[in-house]
Amino acid sequence: MTPWKTELTPLSFLSRSAEVFPEKEALVYGDRSWTYAQLLAAAEERAHALRAAGIRPGDRVAYMLPNVPEMLISMYAVPLAGAVLVPVNTRLAPEEVRYICDHAQVSLLVVDTVHWPALTAVAPELETVRTIVLAEDPLHADQPVGRAHPAGTHVVTLEELLEGASADDSALVWAVDDEDATLSINYTSGTTGRPKGVEYSHRGAYLNSFSEIVHSGFGTDTAYLWTLPMFHCSGWCTGWAVAAAGGVQVCLREVRGPVIWDLIDRHGITHLNGAPTVVTTIMNAQEAHTLDHSLVVTTAAAPPSPAMLKRMNAMGFRIVHVYGLTETYGPYTVGQWQEEWAQLDDDARAAKQARQGVGMVTAERVRVVRTDTDGEELIDVPADASTMGEVVMRGNNVMKGYHRDPEATAKAFAGGWFHSGDLAVMHPDGYIELRDRAKDVVVSGGENISTIEVEQAISAHPDVLDVAVVGVPDAHWGERPKAFVVVADGAEITSEDILEFLRERLARYKNPRDVEFVPVLPKTSTGKIQKHGLREKEWSGHAARIQG
Amino acid sequence: MTPWKTELTPLSFLSRSAEVFPEKEALVYGDRSWTYAQLLAAAEERAHALRAAGIRPGDRVAYMLPNVPEMLISMYAVPLAGAVLVPVNTRLAPEEVRYICDHAQVSLLVVDTVHWPALTAVAPELETVRTIVLAEDPLHADQPVGRAHPAGTHVVTLEELLEGASADDSALVWAVDDEDATLSINYTSGTTGRPKGVEYSHRGAYLNSFSEIVHSGFGTDTAYLWTLPMFHCSGWCTGWAVAAAGGVQVCLREVRGPVIWDLIDRHGITHLNGAPTVVTTIMNAQEAHTLDHSLVVTTAAAPPSPAMLKRMNAMGFRIVHVYGLTETYGPYTVGQWQEEWAQLDDDARAAKQARQGVGMVTAERVRVVRTDTDGEELIDVPADASTMGEVVMRGNNVMKGYHRDPEATAKAFAGGWFHSGDLAVMHPDGYIELRDRAKDVVVSGGENISTIEVEQAISAHPDVLDVAVVGVPDAHWGERPKAFVVVADGAEITSEDILEFLRERLARYKNPRDVEFVPVLPKTSTGKIQKHGLREKEWSGHAARIQG
């Protein structure tokens, strides 16, 4: 071991902060709180308990919990035990959970008692899981929970698991031998096909944490609220980044407006992350009010509308817009703020902020490319803000590959770059702007129409709260866009109002064929609109949609 | 090349900022300024010019310039050309410069026209230097400069060098093949023996930059003033860190009070670094006044006195106290601020801040050790704030080794840790506090006396501006400390006042035998007190000093 190199790992962030800030608050949940020394001790107790339960280096350990302290602690405890963390989306169907556990060859599964009853049916079928650990949320002990032990499963409570900790006297080392080793496997939501297991390395998570620190501005006075699911992209590495900065992390079980506002006020929250649905939840809460301090909201998937941005800025929020995928540890690009944007009018400024931006400080330059015929050479599209191409990324903020899927990995890395499947344009200033998922693009009369572009145009209407656009069958054009619109509280608006509003804002061929008003849009647990369902309904009875 | 790893290099910071902030001010000197795009272009022009001048990958290129833009540009241009940068202290004697150029086998030397006349005598003797480039400071073109071309030397002006740039059409890549490759060689000041060439890697400089960003708090709105010599520890990596953050760097040729205050006011300086002598210069300037914004001063070597700290805080300065050596890319530890210190009285708080602190966020935990008899096992001293041991460090913020000196490297890394040669105690809270350089300790009646401890006790006196303590001969005790004191402007004070002041603050055996008042203390160009000279005078005519 050379004295001038330490393998990079986010484990070092907690071990340092536990030494430097032992008595400083690290973690809060309800009335309970943990100092950094206590958080470290909790991780060590669990690491010993996992080893006592037979977990060996490289074994996979799955956690299926909401944003409770146990889930945050797992980000340290599992790698500290030498194992690989598999965070599981709490909204998955039992069959999906089974698939992930089997595919990742999980040895031990920790599951929230609230989610356990649904899993009892598949539990006996799990191929590699030897131990199931039921973790009860002390703040929700009054909820109906299951503790069934189906035949053929070894089920223990978290308390029972932890009792084993003292039996393990092996040494725990807050360091790793190889920074390229796999830290966690995060399964994609898999809207089509089976979910894929995205492998994160210790090095990648360490470096990505510094991008989070720089771009969200984490510091010792940070109070971070966990509105982003921890199971999603390992919580974008934020559980590691905030600990590196020495801030405090506030857990919450459910992302509901009243709870969020209570925590914002009680803990002086300075930062929170989340999908647009989180932003909407916060802004639509009855409790919403002007802040007495600045709060940075780092948001992905889609930017807030100009009206929303204006309202949020006035209330004390500062929006950081980022873009990435599970395959890029969460955010890869950031809509880096430019001083001169302050001089723009609201709409122009919002248009700048709506773009996905540039590679973060530890990321490489993001590219928008077309692929030549042999599929290997990637050619940058002109930076003309109009030529669409695929977003590709590479480097330290890109996954190692898909777990046990060399074929999908090779395909994703064709030409030496990770292919996002997202279509974007490159602006002359080097900022990318997403136009669509490749599979969501509407092909109308041979023209590609970006549903995101149409959605943004509609969301600029002050009476529109939320909007989704999908391609629907059209006898003449093949497809035409259709808009599903959620109207803001108290507003009254017609289809004609929307179409009239679009007339000067959008090329005619991009205009929706019709507008349907809906009370709410179907979304995934991570806040992405489920266009698939909307499309299904519209296409039923028609021939299969023709893809450009 | 795997698509999920990019070799770490600070080159990426400028290439990213030139893309993200092309029109943002990156560098200022006098009335001239460079945007990030222009700074990148300047580095590329010089890299081409170096290649055209015959510089090949791995060649050493030395720069001996004050803190002018050309020196900052060299931090990017030289590695971009594939070469290794050797920054040379502008205050070295010609013979020392010759030694460094020969030892590092420098191919090309860039020297300020003001420093050139002194070098003309040794220039013909340089063993490996093929080209000497004279760089004239446009802001000081009126100064007497030399342009002599001694026989046997190839001397060109910077303008002539740059004319060659267009002749080189090789591709420049803002990336490296190996993050462990040597980026720069920084020669130690070498108070005893020959200077040693400290090798920095691309990876180390990259990671250290993030510690600078986190602990000094650099961001896009940073205006950094170059009061720290760029040749010293590659300017603590700050020239890379501020570019990563997207801030602006303000150059100045000489660290004088009026110029500094003018630049602070003119550019709204938010950050500056420097040795205590820089702090003294700033605070003693006639122009000193309360700031209208906060200014972070990151200072090394020794902390300001309690009285100075109090005065500076009241004026708007915020002090970050760091400690390190050339061998640790500059700072390795930081006196990390703790919230509860705000409740302490001035003296108690200053005592906390005076400590060297804890490892930075990208550094490993710092240790204070004694070495057992076989010299290999390092044993931590108790964290009792009184047992002295040697400060040792390791990991990514430690040099690769001494250039062409495997013996010194092996000795420095004995037991797998870098030996600083500094003596310290470990406090119960994990903060180290320096007590002395091993060679500066005073051995009196068999007791080790830390001269730093005595200096700090004396500097707490409100009428003391600066102080140095060395061991002087004592017939009875072998040695006793003697203090050399610089009195604050306008104050009147006697030896008896000082000794009376120390009575309750310092153990009797540590009290100086006598106090000598001097107008100024001899210091190195990096602000360290030259105790050697003070000691020489006192020991002349005595037998060699006995070392404990």
Side-chain angles (χ1 to χ4, degrees):
Chain A
M1 213 166 54
T2 165
W4 52 273
K5 264 182 95 166
T6 309
E7 299 294 301
L8 305 178
T9 170
L11 284 176
S12 68
F13 297 145
L14 178 54
S15 67
R16 177 181 183 274
S17 284
E19 289 213 1
V20 176
F21 307 112
E23 304 303 325
K24 194 169 184 292
E25 209 167 54
L27 176 60
V28 174
Y29 185 49
D31 294 333
R32 274 207 67 184
S33 77
W34 288 255
T35 64
Y36 269 101
Q38 289 167 336
L39 179 56
L40 178 114
E44 293 193 335
E45 182 186 17
R46 281 145 187 84
H48 279 304
L50 289 171
R51 286 187 179 175
I55 295 301
R56 295 287 163 264
D59 284 358
R60 267 77 59 214
V61 175
Y63 271 69
M64 184 177 170
L65 303 177
N67 282 1
V68 294
E70 201 61 36
M71 190 70 180
L72 183 72
I73 296 168
S74 77
M75 296 188 194
Y76 295 98
V78 175
L80 182 61
V84 176
L85 178 62
V86 182
V88 180
N89 187 331
T90 54
R91 308 211 184 162
L92 294 182
E95 170 55 22
E96 294 171 300
V97 177
R98 187 203 60 72
Y99 174 81
I100 288 172
C101 287
D102 287 352
H103 186 266
Q105 297 171 300
V106 165
S107 302
L108 185 145
L109 166 66
V110 181
V111 62
D112 191 277
T113 46
V114 173
H115 299 304
W116 172 237
L119 291 185
T120 51
V122 297
E125 299 165 30
L126 294 170
E127 287 172 9
T128 57
V129 171
R130 295 190 307 269
T131 309
I132 292 170
V133 180
L134 303 187
E136 185 177 80
D137 181 348
L139 288 198
H140 291 72
D142 54 336
Q143 295 201 6
V145 297
R147 294 184 172 285
H149 293 212
T153 57
H154 176 54
V155 179
V156 299
T157 64
L158 179 64
E159 292 70 30
E160 288 164 347
L161 180 81
L162 295 183
E163 278 165 20
S166 58
D168 176 68
D169 59 359
S170 63
L172 297 175
V173 184
W174 287 85
V176 294
D177 292 336
D178 177 7
E179 65 191 28
D180 293 335
T182 300
L183 165 62
S184 66
I185 306 175
N186 289 269
Y187 278 80
T188 58
S189 45
T191 48
T192 57
R194 287 299 199 178
K196 292 195 280 283
V198 175
E199 294 186 338
Y200 289 2
S201 73
H202 284 265
R203 173 184 166 107
Y206 180 97
L207 293 171
N208 193 72
S209 294
F210 279 105
S211 276
E212 299 293 334
I213 289 171
V214 166
H215 297 296
S216 287
F218 295 140
T220 51
D221 53 357
T222 289
Y224 177 80
L225 182 62
W226 267 108
T227 43
L228 177 80
M230 292 186 196
F231 60 71
H232 181 54
C233 310
S234 283
W236 297 357
C237 304
T238 315
W240 297 308
V242 175
V248 62
Q249 309 191 37
V250 179
C251 289
L252 82 173
R253 190 178 176 93
E254 279 160 318
V255 176
R256 292 185 300 108
V259 180
I260 293 173
W261 278 102
D262 175 50
L263 293 173
I264 287 175
D265 293 336
R266 193 134 52 96
H267 297 288
I269 295 299
T270 59
H271 293 77
L272 63 84
N273 296 358
T277 178
V278 170
V279 174
T280 310
T281 300
I282 292 173
M283 297 304 289
N284 284 356
Q286 277 203 322
E287 295 78 5
H289 57 257
T290 298
L291 299 163
D292 58 3
H293 63 282
S294 178
L295 199 169
V296 174
V297 175
T298 304
T299 183
S305 67
M308 182 75 94
L309 265 178
K310 188 176 176 184
R311 204 176 132 214
M312 293 185 79
N313 286 337
M315 287 169 66
F317 291 94
R318 192 167 72 75
I319 303 294
V320 176
H321 180 214
V322 295
Y323 156 71
L325 303 92
T326 302
E327 288 86 342
T328 59
Y329 298 75
Y332 186 96
T333 67
V334 57
Q336 182 85 51
W337 174 260
Q338 301 281 351
E339 282 163 29
E340 60 268 27
W341 293 356
Q343 312 305 323
L344 300 174
D345 67 42
D346 292 336
D347 283 355
R349 186 170 54 247
K352 295 281 190 193
Q353 288 190 267
R355 303 178 307 167
Q356 279 64 32
V358 295
M360 300 194 304
V361 67
T362 63
E364 282 203 41
R365 180 174 162 273
V366 64
R367 295 174 67 193
V368 177
V369 301
R370 61 185 177 81
T371 306
D372 74 356
T373 42
D374 71 7
E376 281 298 313
E377 201 190 343
L378 307 177
I379 298 150
D380 289 87
V381 301
D384 59 7
S386 71
T387 309
M388 272 204 262
E390 186 179 12
V391 179
V392 296
M393 300 98 136
R394 70 178 304 285
N396 298 313
N397 294 46
V398 166
M399 64 165 181
K400 291 173 68 176
Y402 295 116
H403 188 60
R404 296 179 66 209
D405 198 342
E407 200 175 323
T409 301
K411 192 175 163 210
F413 284 141
W417 287 71
F418 168 69
H419 291 255
S420 68
D422 287 327
L423 299 182
V425 298
M426 178 64 80
H427 283 261
D429 62 357
Y431 281 55
I432 67 163
E433 182 179 354
L434 283 203
R435 283 297 162 86
D436 229 325
R437 289 290 303 171
K439 65 182 188 311
D440 286 342
V441 82
V442 175
V443 185
S444 184
E447 295 276 8
N448 284 346
I449 300 173
S450 157
T451 58
I452 292 185
E453 191 182 6
V454 181
E455 285 162 5
Q456 287 184 349
I458 295 175
S459 75
H461 193 293
D463 291 333
V464 169
L465 185 65
D466 213 350
V467 59
V469 170
V470 300
V472 297
D474 183 280
H476 185 64
W477 301 106
E479 284 189 291
R480 278 289 293 279
K482 173 175 177 176
F484 295 84
V485 169
V486 182
V487 176
D489 274 354
E492 288 190 27
I493 185 176
T494 64
S495 298
E496 287 67 36
D497 293 337
I498 299 276
L499 296 172
E500 174 64 29
F501 180 77
L502 292 179
R503 204 141 294 160
E504 295 180 18
R505 293 164 189 258
L506 213 57
R508 179 140 200 164
Y509 76 94
K510 296 179 183 171
N511 274 341
R513 196 187 60 171
D514 47 25
V515 176
E516 180 175 335
F517 293 99
V518 290
V520 68
L521 293 172
K523 294 192 177 179
T524 68
S525 57
T526 55
K528 284 185 196 160
I529 296 170
Q530 290 177 309
K531 294 193 179 181
H532 188 62
L534 295 173
R535 241 185 335 245
E536 288 290 297
K537 190 166 70 76
E538 299 290 333
W539 285 86
S540 75
H542 288 266
R545 176 178 179 236
I546 297 149
Q547 265 290 17
Chain B
M1 215 167 51
T2 165
W4 52 274
K5 265 181 96 167
T6 309
E7 299 293 301
L8 305 176
T9 169
L11 283 175
S12 66
F13 298 144
L14 178 55
S15 67
R16 177 181 183 274
S17 284
E19 290 214 0
V20 176
F21 307 110
E23 304 303 324
K24 194 169 184 291
E25 209 166 56
L27 176 60
V28 173
Y29 185 49
D31 295 332
R32 277 208 64 183
S33 76
W34 289 255
T35 64
Y36 269 101
Q38 290 167 335
L39 179 56
L40 179 114
E44 293 193 335
E45 182 186 16
R46 279 144 187 87
H48 280 303
L50 288 171
R51 286 188 178 173
I55 295 302
R56 295 290 164 261
D59 283 358
R60 267 78 60 213
V61 175
Y63 271 70
M64 183 176 172
L65 302 176
N67 283 0
V68 293
E70 201 61 37
M71 189 71 180
L72 184 71
I73 296 167
S74 77
M75 295 187 194
Y76 295 98
V78 175
L80 181 62
V84 176
L85 178 63
V86 182
V88 179
N89 186 330
T90 53
R91 309 212 183 161
L92 292 182
E95 169 55 23
E96 293 171 301
V97 177
R98 186 203 60 72
Y99 174 80
I100 288 173
C101 287
D102 287 353
H103 185 265
Q105 298 170 301
V106 165
S107 302
L108 184 146
L109 166 66
V110 181
V111 60
D112 191 276
T113 45
V114 173
H115 299 304
W116 172 236
L119 291 185
T120 50
V122 298
E125 299 166 32
L126 293 169
E127 288 172 8
T128 57
V129 172
R130 295 189 306 269
T131 310
I132 292 171
V133 180
L134 302 187
E136 185 177 80
D137 181 349
L139 287 199
H140 291 71
D142 54 335
Q143 295 200 5
V145 297
R147 293 183 172 287
H149 293 213
T153 59
H154 176 52
V155 180
V156 299
T157 65
L158 179 65
E159 292 70 31
E160 287 165 348
L161 179 82
L162 295 182
E163 277 165 19
S166 57
D168 175 70
D169 59 358
S170 63
L172 297 175
V173 184
W174 287 86
V176 295
D177 291 336
D178 178 7
E179 64 191 29
D180 293 334
T182 301
L183 165 63
S184 66
I185 306 175
N186 289 269
Y187 278 79
T188 59
S189 44
T191 49
T192 57
R194 285 297 197 180
K196 291 196 280 283
V198 175
E199 293 185 341
Y200 289 2
S201 74
H202 284 265
R203 173 183 166 108
Y206 181 97
L207 293 171
N208 193 72
S209 294
F210 279 105
S211 276
E212 299 293 334
I213 289 171
V214 167
H215 296 296
S216 287
F218 295 141
T220 50
D221 53 357
T222 289
Y224 176 81
L225 182 62
W226 267 107
T227 42
L228 177 79
M230 292 187 197
F231 60 71
H232 181 54
C233 309
S234 282
W236 299 355
C237 303
T238 315
W240 297 309
V242 175
V248 61
Q249 308 190 38
V250 180
C251 288
L252 82 174
R253 190 178 175 93
E254 279 160 319
V255 177
R256 291 185 300 107
V259 180
I260 292 174
W261 278 101
D262 175 51
L263 293 172
I264 287 176
D265 293 336
R266 193 134 51 96
H267 297 289
I269 295 299
T270 60
H271 294 76
L272 63 84
N273 295 358
T277 179
V278 170
V279 173
T280 309
T281 300
I282 291 173
M283 296 305 289
N284 284 356
Q286 277 202 321
E287 293 79 4
H289 57 257
T290 298
L291 298 163
D292 59 3
H293 64 282
S294 178
L295 199 170
V296 174
V297 175
T298 303
T299 182
S305 67
M308 181 76 93
L309 266 178
K310 189 176 175 183
R311 206 179 130 213
M312 293 185 78
N313 286 336
M315 286 169 67
F317 291 94
R318 192 166 74 72
I319 303 295
V320 176
H321 180 214
V322 295
Y323 156 72
L325 305 91
T326 302
E327 287 86 342
T328 60
Y329 298 75
Y332 186 97
T333 68
V334 57
Q336 180 85 51
W337 174 260
Q338 301 281 348
E339 282 163 30
E340 60 268 26
W341 293 355
Q343 310 307 322
L344 300 174
D345 67 42
D346 292 337
D347 284 355
R349 186 170 54 247
K352 295 283 191 191
Q353 289 190 266
R355 303 179 306 168
Q356 279 64 31
V358 295
M360 299 195 303
V361 67
T362 62
E364 283 204 42
R365 180 174 163 273
V366 63
R367 295 173 68 193
V368 177
V369 302
R370 61 186 176 81
T371 306
D372 74 356
T373 41
D374 70 9
E376 280 298 313
E377 200 189 343
L378 307 177
I379 298 150
D380 288 88
V381 302
D384 59 5
S386 71
T387 309
M388 271 203 261
E390 186 179 14
V391 179
V392 296
M393 300 98 136
R394 72 178 302 286
N396 298 313
N397 294 46
V398 166
M399 65 166 180
K400 293 173 67 176
Y402 296 115
H403 187 61
R404 298 180 66 210
D405 198 343
E407 199 174 325
T409 301
K411 191 175 164 210
F413 284 142
W417 287 69
F418 168 69
H419 290 256
S420 67
D422 287 327
L423 298 182
V425 298
M426 178 64 80
H427 283 260
D429 62 357
Y431 282 55
I432 67 163
E433 183 180 353
L434 283 203
R435 284 298 162 83
D436 229 323
R437 291 291 299 173
K439 66 182 187 312
D440 285 344
V441 82
V442 175
V443 185
S444 185
E447 295 276 9
N448 284 345
I449 301 173
S450 156
T451 58
I452 292 185
E453 190 181 7
V454 180
E455 284 162 3
Q456 287 185 348
I458 296 175
S459 75
H461 192 295
D463 291 334
V464 170
L465 184 66
D466 212 352
V467 59
V469 171
V470 299
V472 297
D474 183 281
H476 185 65
W477 300 107
E479 281 190 293
R480 278 291 293 280
K482 173 177 177 176
F484 294 83
V485 170
V486 181
V487 177
D489 272 355
E492 288 192 26
I493 186 176
T494 65
S495 298
E496 288 66 39
D497 294 336
I498 298 276
L499 295 173
E500 174 64 30
F501 180 76
L502 292 180
R503 203 142 293 159
E504 296 178 16
R505 291 165 190 257
L506 211 57
R508 180 142 199 160
Y509 77 92
K510 296 179 183 172
N511 275 341
R513 196 186 60 170
D514 46 28
V515 176
E516 181 176 334
F517 293 98
V518 291
V520 68
L521 294 171
K523 294 191 177 178
T524 67
S525 57
T526 56
K528 286 185 194 158
I529 296 170
Q530 290 177 309
K531 294 192 177 183
H532 188 64
L534 295 173
R535 236 177 348 239
E536 289 290 297
K537 191 167 70 78
E538 300 290 332
W539 286 86
S540 75
H542 289 265
R545 176 179 178 236
I546 298 150
Q547 265 288 20

